[in-house]
Amino acid sequence: MAKRDYYDVLGVSKGASADEIKKGYRKKAKELHPDRNSDNPNAEAQFKEANEAYDVLKDADKKAAYDRFGHAAFEGGMGGGGGRPGGGFGGGQGDFGSAFSDVFDDLFGDFMGGQRGGGGRQRASRGSDLRYNLRVSLEDAYAGMQKTINVPTSVSCDACNGTGAEGGSEPTTCPTCSGMGKVRAQQGFFTVERTCPTCSGLGQIIKDPCKVCSGAGRVEKDRALSVNIPAGVETGTRIRLAGEGEAGMRGGPSGDLYIFIDVADHKLFERDGTNLFCRVPVSMGTAALGGSIEVPTIDGGRGRVQIPAGSQSGRQMRLRNKGMPALRGGGAGDMFIELAVETPVNLTARQKELLREFEELSEENNPESSSFFSSVKSFWDSMKG
Ligand SMILES: [Zn+2]
Ligand SMILES: [Zn+2]
């Protein structure tokens, strides 16, 4: 018996939208519902036919298969009667029953005066959010930048038009399950159904798999996205790109893409919020006599810092507004120069001689040492007592 075209069954055109298909189905289902057609012997069969058509056309995957292969997409020997279409497609989501509960929820909702359009709408699911870790230099975090990142996504394989079969040849119906995707086995008194081992439930096998995608029908492809990294980002800053995540299922919205920023350590600068710290070694002579030193700034420029005579290690000097910009506006931080007085090494005999002479003249020149040793002395004195 030749099967009727599913679109004809629902009284909609081939290009009908999901909404139109649903409307067409609801209309037919009401007309043909067995409870209302006790005097029409064909109604039950037609009702089943409408359910079958809707079961296929409401499901994006099955619809695509039907559009491509017609009834052949679901044809198979088992079960008989053709009451259960599409066991093969849909990736093993327990198709049996789900279509019917959908149908009946819908119908009973209507017949019992339930709200229109209440049910069956949550099937579209949102795509997953994706995370992308992006490491940036401190200089880039300072200046902000436009960065192109490559996000891997699955796209339909061009070489085989997504069929997975080499050279545009069409996949063939699985001989084990005759396209149903499921096989039945007898276990004691029960007949159990399980996923077809030959085609893994797809209902089709590919004799000559596409060399590009190895028969998957999809390939990983990098999608180039231009991302604006604002000035002032820190490690842990997240940048959300709405809708750039994984594609949704069945027309659901796409997920979001989150860029997680990780700012690399810098050789010269250490960051604390918007402030920067730069440790600058100075010679003992400069620290004692005072002088001017040149220091780097994060924008790649130079700054001059006056070292007061008699500066100690750890002394900080501030360069205003030479720190990092605040991410959400509000001006820049400061840069702090921290002096590290360096003790000279590898002295020549002449230098040693000069330093010894210097030491002999330096009784009064180390107030910190003097005060420390007087504290030590009184500590020992007190312990004696
Ligand atoms: Zn199979
Ligand atoms: Zn391919």
Side-chain angles (χ1 to χ4, degrees):
M1 152 187 104
K3 289 184 72 155
R4 287 173 67 203
D5 176 75
Y6 284 150
Y7 292 96
D8 289 347
V9 169
L10 298 184
V12 296
S13 66
K14 279 239 189 291
S17 68
D19 230 17
E20 290 170 315
I21 288 170
K22 181 160 191 168
K23 276 195 193 128
Y25 164 69
R26 290 170 75 97
K27 194 163 156 248
K28 288 285 172 196
K30 270 194 225 176
E31 259 172 50
L32 299 167
H33 196 277
D35 291 354
R36 290 185 170 183
N37 290 274
S38 46
D39 52 346
N40 176 359
N42 295 324
E44 197 188 344
Q46 287 171 357
F47 182 58
K48 275 188 181 163
E49 190 183 35
N51 284 342
E52 181 184 327
Y54 182 58
D55 187 24
V56 169
L57 296 184
K58 78 183 163 94
D59 180 299
D61 291 343
K62 291 180 189 171
K63 182 173 178 295
Y66 177 74
D67 289 344
R68 203 178 321 142
F69 304 113
H71 289 296
F74 311 109
E75 243 148 42
M78 61 169 256
R84 300 277 158 88
F89 278 78
Q93 302 181 6
D95 288 43
F96 283 75
S98 70
F100 283 82
S101 71
D102 229 20
V103 162
F104 282 116
D105 287 351
D106 254 8
L107 284 178
F108 287 143
D110 264 1
F111 287 138
M112 297 179 164
Q115 309 129 298
R116 281 193 137 254
R121 209 145 280 188
Q122 67 276 52
R123 304 201 120 219
S125 64
R126 185 175 175 276
S128 311
D129 291 337
L130 294 178
R131 170 178 177 153
Y132 187 98
N133 297 329
L134 181 64
R135 196 174 173 86
V136 301
S137 67
L138 189 64
E139 295 91 317
D140 286 339
Y142 168 81
M145 62 168 170
Q146 200 72 26
K147 172 101 180 161
T148 301
I149 61 170
N150 290 314
V151 183
T153 38
S154 262
V155 295
S156 181
C157 172
D158 280 343
C160 61
N161 277 324
T163 61
E166 179 67 22
S169 63
E170 290 191 347
T172 50
T173 303
C174 172
T176 306
C177 63
S178 308
M180 296 305 285
K182 293 180 179 167
V183 289
R184 288 181 176 182
Q186 197 76 27
Q187 267 183 13
F189 293 108
F190 301 100
T191 304
V192 293
E193 256 179 6
R194 52 194 179 80
T195 303
C196 171
T198 308
C199 61
S200 308
L202 294 173
Q204 298 187 324
I205 53 165
I206 294 160
K207 286 217 175 89
D208 189 10
C210 167
K211 289 184 184 61
V212 177
C213 63
S214 310
R218 323 200 83 203
V219 285
E220 287 265 296
K221 204 172 184 182
D222 279 355
R223 194 161 44 110
L225 273 180
S226 183
V227 187
N228 176 43
I229 311 292
V233 290
E234 295 177 74
T235 293
T237 302
R238 294 194 312 175
I239 298 168
R240 177 168 164 264
L241 299 182
E244 299 289 1
E246 212 171 71
M249 297 271 289
R250 299 165 209 274
S254 294
D256 299 332
L257 174 67
Y258 286 91
I259 315 262
F260 280 62
I261 299 290
D262 174 34
V263 179
D265 287 341
H266 196 278
K267 263 184 122 156
L268 297 174
F269 303 103
E270 204 168 307
R271 179 186 196 174
D272 181 19
T274 56
N275 291 333
L276 288 176
F277 294 82
C278 181
R279 186 175 173 276
V280 180
V282 291
S283 70
M284 204 172 68
T286 305
L289 300 171
S292 157
I293 55 168
E294 198 170 55
V295 294
T297 51
I298 186 63
D299 57 6
R302 293 146 201 263
R304 277 229 155 250
V305 178
Q306 290 302 322
I307 312 249
S311 289
Q312 306 294 341
S313 255
R315 179 168 194 159
Q316 286 189 346
M317 261 101 41
R318 186 202 297 253
L319 288 173
R320 286 198 186 276
N321 299 322
K322 289 292 183 188
M324 299 292 284
L327 185 55
R328 310 206 187 284
D334 301 327
M335 178 160 90
F336 292 88
I337 301 296
E338 186 180 306
L339 298 185
V341 178
E342 188 173 19
T343 306
V345 296
N346 302 326
L347 302 177
T348 62
R350 170 80 180 126
Q351 285 171 319
K352 286 178 187 168
E353 190 191 324
L354 283 170
L355 273 179
R356 280 194 198 100
E357 196 178 330
F358 176 79
E359 273 297 279
E360 279 159 26
L361 297 171
S362 298
E363 297 262 320
E364 305 293 320
N365 299 116
N366 298 299
E368 199 180 328
S369 303
S370 309
S371 116
F372 176 75
F373 285 115
S374 77
S375 298
V376 169
K377 189 171 178 297
S378 55
F379 169 69
W380 281 333
D381 288 348
S382 75
M383 295 303 270
K384 259 187 266 173

